[in-house]
Amino acid sequence: RRERMLARKGARPALRLAHRALSRRTRPALHGHDDAHDASKSVTVYWKDKSGKVQETPAAVGLNLLRVAHRGGVDLEGACECSVACSTCHIILEDEVFSRLPEASEDEEDMLDQAFGLTPTSRLGCQVVVTEDMDGMTIVLPAATRNFYVDGHVPKPH
């Protein structure tokens, strides 16, 4: 759609090609799309909140942990809706799970710098994709989050 708009407005061909190339390289995980998961494969994950209460949820392989939390009724905010523009989905992982993950992107590292209660195994839940070897892991939720958007604003998952 954007490409057609650029063509109607007489945009230079190089601009149209650049836009097309960039749109093909965009990773769905950065924009919150969760249609790449396999609903037939699922693992169980445990969420430990700030009071120490543990909640069990199913997690579809290929889904990011923020979406898993929202589907399971876990209180994990996600103010930017998976666009890596906040740290409200900050989670703390077990050492062995953390060490198996791909390295965090520079954008994720920048957002983690803003997170409350940062630890060596902190990640953004929107950037951690569930794999089969995560079955049985416990995810710790920090005692608080920093939402620079609006105090008290909690977005509703789609």
Side-chain angles (χ1 to χ4, degrees):
R1 189 168 73 168
R2 172 93 172 132
E3 203 171 309
R4 280 181 281 165
M5 184 182 79
L6 289 172
R8 277 196 306 262
K9 292 189 177 200
R12 295 185 310 258
L15 181 59
R16 288 195 306 265
L17 289 174
H19 173 72
R20 188 179 319 132
L22 287 173
S23 65
R24 288 189 182 143
R25 287 191 206 140
T26 303
R27 285 185 29 215
L30 294 177
H31 295 287
H33 299 281
D34 59 1
D35 54 358
H37 72 280
D38 182 354
S40 68
K41 294 181 184 174
S42 184
V43 298
T44 300
V45 297
Y46 300 89
W47 304 84
K48 186 175 184 180
D49 68 16
K50 61 185 172 188
S51 70
K53 180 183 161 207
V54 176
Q55 180 178 344
E56 176 183 326
T57 62
V61 172
L63 199 60
N64 71 53
L65 287 175
L66 177 61
R67 299 289 188 221
V68 169
H70 287 174
R71 289 179 180 191
V74 174
D75 189 22
L76 185 60
E77 190 171 337
C80 74
E81 299 181 8
C82 300
S83 65
V84 196
C86 75
S87 63
T88 60
C89 67
H90 169 221
I91 56 174
I92 302 164
L93 300 171
E94 299 168 329
D95 289 334
E96 61 271 7
V97 173
F98 181 85
S99 65
R100 289 192 306 259
L101 293 176
E103 195 171 307
S105 69
E106 189 174 328
D107 288 340
E108 182 180 0
E109 291 287 346
D110 289 345
M111 291 301 106
L112 283 169
D113 288 342
Q114 307 297 318
F116 179 88
L118 191 64
T119 73
T121 61
S122 290
R123 291 294 298 264
L124 296 181
C126 68
Q127 296 302 295
V128 178
V129 176
V130 176
T131 58
E132 291 182 46
D133 62 347
M134 292 179 177
D135 191 35
M137 78 170 170
T138 298
I139 303 151
V140 177
L141 302 177
T145 61
R146 289 190 179 125
N147 183 347
F148 295 107
Y149 179 63
V150 174
D151 257 349
H153 172 77
V154 178
K156 302 292 181 215
H158 307 273

